[in-house]
Amino acid sequence: MTSKEPFETVVAVHGATVLRVCRAVLGPGDVDDAWSETFLSAMRAYPDLPADANVEAWLVTIAHRKAIDVVRAAGRRAIPTEQIPDTAATPALDGPDPGLVEAVTRLPAKQRHAVVYHYVAGLPHVEVAAILGGSTDAARRAAADGIATLRRTYPPITARKGENR
Amino acid sequence: MSIHDDLPRHLAQAYPDTPDELRRLRERLADAAQTEGILDVAYRTVDTPVGPLLLAATEQGLVRVAYLAEDHDAVLQTLAERISPRILHAPARLDTTARELEEYFTGARHTFDVPLDWRLSAGFRAAVLHRLPDIGYGHTASYAAVAALAGNPKAVRAVGTACATNPLPVVVPCHRVVRSDGSMGGYLGGIEAKRTLLTLETAA
């Protein structure tokens, strides 16, 4: 394959994934800017992208940088916390769960990125490592640590009564 | 099963698709790409009496009109290869063309004023296509006559090829080229489309 698809196809195929990634990494707010900056920047560079490149990993890489820019521009940092809120909704057993979304935004940055790029975007750990810098093992560990943190911080303690772990 | 054992699946489901938001973001991207000068090809489709037409424009002008029979996805892929892959569905750049086509199909418009980008045709084929607007609305000319107009009276078959590969049908009126015996000859949009256009033009 020597030719590239129209960029419209790239947006159609990967737009939803990039939006999920932006929402997961940034939490509410700033998501539109991060998505728009990601695709604008990607479109600028698209003619030079090698034809055999992994387009989704490439887009998530750009989204990762744009999300960091957006956070910096907003003059704030995501503050990791070990605190477990004592009043939180009972988690839904299926479908979207605002409590889980919120718990993800409270993960330390590296865990959050590794969890989102692997479990939300579906990238293999080796691609996540390329985005975050560092080894594949480090990316795998960060994702596992993130899941472990989520197990501690989500769902709230009241909902875990009777569980044996 | 505890929610904890299934966190990966819950993570995958935690961010549902939001089609309305995506649609709005894609429109915003098309506007921003236009403003930044990186929208190399904008396209849209319009519904007409000869079926949906794909319209594509560069910064220079209208570069492609395509019938459904030409396969719009294949046409866009060809544009990506021959012009640039920086292609978006961006109707705004084609508003004037769409309006002029609408007027044409109601019989109110006899010529098109939009700037044309001729880069998809070259050589003798381009010479042929450039002469086609000389055949006035409601008139026809034979392949032989157009060959003479284009400066090579013997190149009758080449005129047929030029018409069959016209990147701007309807707007550049290859449908007005017919056989010397008065029969219609072929048409890249199908013979029915050619009949529809010629009937429209003689009725006005």
Side-chain angles (χ1 to χ4, degrees):
Chain A
M1 164 118 179
T2 53
S3 62
K4 279 200 205 98
E5 296 176 309
F7 196 71
E8 178 71 18
T9 307
V10 172
V11 183
V13 173
H14 303 289
T17 299
V18 171
L19 186 56
R20 272 196 288 276
V21 164
C22 291
R23 283 156 68 197
V25 169
L26 290 169
D30 304 328
V31 168
D32 285 7
D33 285 344
W35 190 96
S36 299
E37 287 296 320
T38 297
F39 276 102
L40 205 53
S41 172
M43 187 168 170
R44 210 174 281 122
Y46 187 55
D48 298 323
L49 182 74
D52 60 352
N54 178 336
V55 174
E56 185 139 293
W58 174 66
L59 288 169
V60 173
T61 305
I62 299 171
H64 174 69
R65 282 192 235 114
K66 293 299 171 188
I68 289 172
D69 289 350
V70 164
V71 169
R72 274 201 197 117
R76 61 178 175 77
R77 292 178 55 198
I79 298 158
T81 173
E82 296 299 312
Q83 273 186 344
I84 299 162
D86 49 16
T87 55
T90 307
L93 287 176
D94 243 321
D97 179 353
L100 181 56
V101 169
E102 210 264 323
V104 170
T105 62
R106 281 187 286 110
L107 285 175
K110 186 161 190 191
Q111 292 181 15
R112 186 171 70 247
H113 292 143
V115 163
V116 169
Y117 303 152
H118 182 65
Y119 290 108
V120 178
L123 295 182
H125 293 300
V126 60
E127 299 281 2
V128 178
I131 293 169
L132 299 181
S135 68
T136 304
D137 278 347
R140 186 181 290 113
R141 225 164 23 241
D145 289 349
I147 293 293
T149 308
L150 287 174
R151 289 201 165 114
R152 281 203 314 279
T153 61
Y154 169 87
I157 256 167
T158 48
R160 294 199 288 162
K161 268 182 192 158
E163 261 184 48
N164 219 353
R165 29 178 74 249
Chain B
M1 180 186 273
S2 142
I3 193 168
H4 279 163
D5 298 328
D6 217 10
L7 261 181
R9 189 174 64 83
H10 282 270
L11 278 167
Q13 290 179 352
Y15 306 91
D17 280 343
T18 47
D20 288 346
E21 185 180 15
L22 259 182
R23 196 172 310 118
R24 188 173 49 72
L25 284 169
R26 288 170 72 170
E27 285 169 15
R28 177 174 152 181
L29 174 65
D31 289 346
Q34 167 76 39
T35 305
E36 298 238 341
I38 58 171
L39 181 54
D40 297 334
V41 179
Y43 76 90
R44 68 178 288 177
T45 53
V46 290
D47 286 320
T48 75
V50 291
L53 294 178
L54 175 79
L55 312 178
T58 64
E59 298 262 20
Q60 282 75 54
L62 185 66
V63 74
R64 191 73 167 89
V65 175
Y67 282 97
L68 197 60
E70 299 177 80
D71 184 348
H72 290 174
D73 285 342
V75 170
L76 289 170
Q77 185 62 49
T78 304
L79 294 177
E81 287 156 25
R82 292 194 58 185
I83 299 177
S84 162
R86 296 200 298 205
I87 299 176
L88 286 181
H89 180 260
R93 190 184 286 176
L94 292 145
D95 276 353
T96 307
T97 305
R99 198 188 60 243
E100 291 197 0
L101 278 167
E102 199 182 323
E103 290 164 359
Y104 169 79
F105 281 109
T106 63
R109 172 174 288 277
H110 293 185
T111 56
F112 293 92
D113 307 329
V114 291
L116 303 181
D117 182 337
W118 289 95
R119 76 177 80 188
L120 294 177
S121 51
F124 184 69
R125 290 185 194 180
V128 169
L129 296 174
H130 275 88
R131 301 316 300 262
L132 295 184
D134 296 348
I135 313 169
Y137 186 92
H139 294 79
T140 56
S142 69
Y143 290 95
V146 173
L149 268 177
N152 188 351
K154 288 182 184 161
V156 179
R157 287 183 68 87
V159 169
T161 307
C163 289
T165 57
N166 178 8
L168 296 160
V170 184
V171 174
V172 172
C174 61
H175 57 276
R176 292 178 197 152
V177 185
V178 297
R179 294 214 177 109
S180 302
D181 64 6
S183 68
M184 274 200 295
Y187 187 54
L188 79 177
I191 202 71
E192 268 313 308
K194 189 169 189 172
R195 183 174 294 123
T196 302
L197 296 179
L198 292 176
T199 305
L200 164 79
E201 294 192 3
T202 47

